[in-house]
Amino acid sequence: MYSIFWGIGNKTYLPLLTLIPIFNIVWVFVVGFKGNEWAWQKGDYQDVETFKAVQTTWNRAGIVQFIISIAIFVLYMFFFDSLVANI
C-alpha cells in the first residue's frame, strides 16, 4: 500500500514503477519481496537494528494507511447504499 512513498523515503526509486497501469499488479509483489534488500543497499544505515527499526516504522505507516482506506471505503459504501435506498 505504501510502496511509492516508501521507495522515495528509502532512496529506492524502482517502486515508482507501480504507477504504470497493469504492470503494477505484478510489480507490487516484486517490491514486497525485494524492497528491503533494495533499501539496505541504497540506505546509509549504521547497523541492522537501525534498519529494522526504520522499516518497522514504515510497516506501521502502511498498516495505518490500509486501515484508513478500508474505513473510508466502508463509509463510502454506506453512503452510496443510503443514496440508492432513497431513490
Side-chain angles (χ1 to χ4, degrees):
M1 288 279 311
Y2 222 55
S3 61
I4 295 169
F5 302 112
W6 175 89
I8 293 169
N10 284 290
K11 300 178 195 126
T12 305
Y13 302 106
L14 286 173
L16 292 175
L17 294 174
T18 58
L19 295 171
I20 300 172
I22 308 295
F23 179 71
N24 65 356
I25 296 169
V26 174
W27 197 247
V28 169
F29 293 104
V30 172
V31 171
F33 289 121
K34 299 289 283 179
N36 280 342
E37 180 181 334
W38 297 335
W40 175 256
Q41 291 170 353
K42 298 280 183 173
D44 189 20
Y45 299 103
Q46 320 266 322
D47 54 18
V48 175
E49 288 79 25
T50 304
F51 174 74
K52 286 183 178 181
V54 169
Q55 296 310 311
T56 300
T57 303
W58 279 105
N59 287 338
R60 285 187 197 128
I63 290 169
V64 168
Q65 181 193 15
F66 178 73
I67 291 169
I68 290 171
S69 63
I70 293 295
I72 289 171
F73 176 74
V74 168
L75 290 173
Y76 175 78
M77 292 307 289
F78 281 132
F79 178 74
F80 183 72
D81 185 45
S82 68
L83 285 177
V84 172
N86 290 332
I87 294 179

